[in-house]
Structures are given as structure tokens and as C-alpha cells.
Amino acid sequence: MVAVTRTFNFTGTLQQATIPPGTTSIDVHLWGGAGGGGGSDAGGPGGTGAAGHSVTSSTISISASQINTTIEVAVGGGGAGGGSGGGAPGGANGKSITGYSGGEGGNAGPRPYSGAGGGGGGATTVFINSVEIATAGGGGGGAGAGLGSNGTAGINTNTATSESPGTLGENGKDHSGDGGGGGAGGGRR
């Protein structure tokens, strides 16, 4: 059997392909979208966004009934960086399909020179006949810097969030003083 390779990149839309005759198994290699960096302030450049998860699922069996059916791929986008300045907006979330996007970055505090949190990266996920077969979570956004301190780096984790559904990234917290908003969590694995 000849190996067929198909690469999907972020487009902001659900991408589809047909499983060709003769297919007995597939291997998928997924990367979630990275989190955006936090906004800068006098305390530093803001925290860096975390890389998205990398997931490999090898030798996923394809049954005869799945031949000529649809494989759907949603590639998660990267989160945007947080802005700088009093009341600056948090970074936009990395988009994915409904329920798998990263969270929005928290807004900067109202005082001058606050950095906002970066947006969380979107999860990358693969479905066959609407059944999820593999997911790579997005990276968390970095926190914004404050007057006297830099924001912390984003993280990625394999645990569900408190959002509904649990695959949706949590929004970063807005800040009320002279400091940076918290970075947003990416869609989970």
C-alpha cells in the first residue's frame, strides 16, 4: 500500500477530505495553536505564550464502512498578543471549531502602562464521521507586565477547563490596578 500524506494548515474553517478506497489505517500528527504573548510595561516585555501541544496517534484502524466517508480537520489558530497601555485589550483567542477555541486574554488595568494578557491558542482536532479521534490542545497566553513586575509565561495542560464544554479555553482575568491581565488558557487536549 502506498502511503498518502495530507497536510492541513490553519484556515479558520473546518477542512474535509474523503477517506480513499484501500485505506486500512491512518496516522495523525497534530499541533495546537500557540498562545499569544502578554503586553509590555515598565516591568518587562510581558510573559511569552506557550507552544501548543503536539499529539501523535498512530495506526488508527479504518473499517470498510469508513471508506469514502469524511475526515474533518480543525487546525487551531495562534492567540494574539496582548496590548500595552492603561485599559489595553487582551489578545484575541486562537480560533478552532466551536467548543475548541482558546480563551481571550485579560484586559490591562486602567492605570497607564499596563500590559494585557495574550490570547490562548486554539486546539487542533480530527473527526471521522463526526467522532473525535485525536486532539492537540492550544497553548496558554502569557500574562501582561505591570509597573514593577513582568508577566508570567503561559502554560499548556492536559486537563479540562471549568468552561462548558471542558474543551473551551478559559478567558484571562481583567486587571483592576497597574498591572497586566492574566493570560488565557488554550483549548484542552
Side-chain angles (χ1 to χ4, degrees):
M1 173 60 74
V2 175
V4 176
T5 301
R6 178 89 188 256
T7 301
F8 296 90
N9 295 307
F10 177 75
T11 63
T13 61
L14 186 65
Q15 300 171 68
Q16 298 179 334
T18 301
I19 299 173
T23 303
T24 57
S25 67
I26 62 172
D27 297 336
V28 295
H29 307 280
L30 309 175
W31 291 267
S40 64
D41 187 16
T48 57
H53 281 271
S54 170
V55 171
T56 296
S57 293
S58 298
T59 317
I60 299 167
S61 294
I62 300 297
S63 68
S65 65
Q66 292 173 314
I67 300 299
N68 291 319
T69 62
T70 301
I71 185 169
E72 298 173 318
V73 180
V75 178
S84 295
N93 65 336
K95 305 295 184 200
S96 188
I97 60 171
T98 301
Y100 288 84
S101 294
E104 299 286 332
N107 295 327
R111 298 192 181 119
Y113 309 112
S114 295
T124 296
T125 188
V126 176
F127 295 85
I128 295 178
N129 294 332
S130 301
V131 176
E132 181 180 347
I133 61 166
T135 299
L147 177 63
S149 63
N150 193 24
T152 58
I155 62 170
N156 56 29
T157 178
N158 287 337
T159 58
T161 68
S162 63
E163 294 292 318
S164 179
T167 53
L168 187 64
E170 293 185 35
N171 292 332
K173 290 301 232 180
D174 296 341
H175 201 281
S176 60
D178 182 20
R188 76 147 174 107
R189 174 179 184 264

